[in-house]
Amino acid sequence: MEPILLDRPRPPSIPPPLDWLTLADAFEAACLLRCVTPPAVVGPRRTAPVYRPGIVEFNREDAALRMRQLLDRLDVPVTHERAVGGLRRRYELHRLTVPVARRHAYATSLEAGWRQGRRELLGGPVPGASAARRVWRPRLAAAAWRAALLAGGRHVRRHILGVRLTDRELAAVLVRGAALLDVPALLRPGTGCFLVSVAHGPDRDRILEAAELGSPREAD
């Protein structure tokens, strides 16, 4: 008789998907972080940024305040420090720090939000998709653009509205997100970055209207 191995390792359990409200907040927070976190490099391959040690810095106050708002809704407390530097050209630095005891929850929430939100946006149309999915996928697209416009490198010209990003995956999410908002977007590689842009006029206006600061919680 074959013995029963009671200590056989079990495959890791797959966490349940986030509900739509939590997903929208966690995904937008992850996009904000990816705007200011350079991709880690291991040998010739780039890997996703690691959401630790729980410190993130923004050079715009509105981006920092939005991150605080999102993390508060995810039950992740932060401290907000503001520093001013420079001589001729003054600049501000806003540092958000997550307490050590909450950093695991912070990392878990943002990683789950990014993974699930990215899958929703980059995956193809789902036959027979639920009414909730049809409503929330454009909201996730708007959240990604809102994060990029707040924390990415804005590239505004007379004929385009664009953002510069170092994260290839986020750039792809923005292009797909724009399509879900019925706006064609262009992706161009630059020197150490990617430029995602939409045309001036109705396309730009549609993106700005969709990304207007607000939340799905307030829109319902």
Side-chain angles (χ1 to χ4, degrees):
M1 180 180 294
E2 183 180 351
I4 299 175
L5 300 178
L6 298 180
D7 59 348
R8 179 178 296 169
R10 298 179 179 180
S13 59
I14 300 175
L18 303 176
D19 64 82
W20 289 110
L21 284 170
T22 304
L23 172 59
D25 290 341
F27 178 64
E28 185 175 342
C31 290
L32 282 167
L33 183 58
R34 282 178 172 260
C35 286
V36 297
T37 305
V41 177
V42 180
R45 293 187 57 188
R46 288 183 175 181
T47 62
V50 178
Y51 301 123
R52 289 185 177 90
I55 299 173
V56 57
E57 295 177 337
F58 297 96
N59 57 15
R60 291 183 55 181
E61 184 177 21
D62 50 0
L65 293 178
R66 181 59 175 171
M67 187 70 156
R68 283 186 60 183
Q69 181 185 41
L70 294 168
L71 292 180
D72 180 66
R73 297 204 294 235
L74 294 169
D75 195 28
V76 177
V78 294
T79 57
H80 183 177
E81 300 173 275
R82 173 178 173 270
V84 179
L87 296 174
R88 289 188 176 183
R89 300 185 62 179
R90 306 289 285 176
Y91 66 89
E92 289 187 0
L93 183 67
H94 297 266
R95 172 178 290 178
L96 302 182
T97 305
V98 178
V100 174
R102 297 295 296 163
R103 288 183 184 180
H104 178 72
Y106 162 76
T108 301
S109 294
L110 267 62
E111 287 167 1
W114 171 254
R115 185 170 55 250
Q116 188 176 336
R118 176 185 178 278
R119 185 170 62 246
E120 288 289 343
L121 292 184
L122 296 186
V126 179
S130 66
R133 177 166 272 110
R134 290 194 296 270
V135 168
W136 280 94
R137 289 181 76 220
R139 289 183 177 182
L140 293 174
W145 271 96
R146 181 161 51 246
L149 290 170
L150 282 173
R154 283 212 186 191
H155 183 83
V156 181
R157 295 292 185 269
R158 186 170 58 183
H159 60 293
I160 65 167
L161 168 66
V163 287
R164 287 192 179 96
L165 306 162
T166 59
D167 191 292
R168 180 192 296 268
E169 288 187 287
L170 180 55
V173 161
L174 290 182
V175 173
R176 179 57 182 159
L180 284 170
L181 298 171
D182 297 321
V183 176
L186 294 177
L187 172 60
R188 294 191 180 95
T191 304
C193 70
F194 301 92
L195 174 64
V196 182
S197 64
V198 299
H200 186 76
D203 291 345
R204 171 186 177 275
D205 294 342
R206 192 172 294 117
I207 289 292
L208 291 177
E209 181 180 1
E212 184 177 0
L213 194 58
S215 77
R217 298 172 192 269
E218 296 154 2
D220 287 341

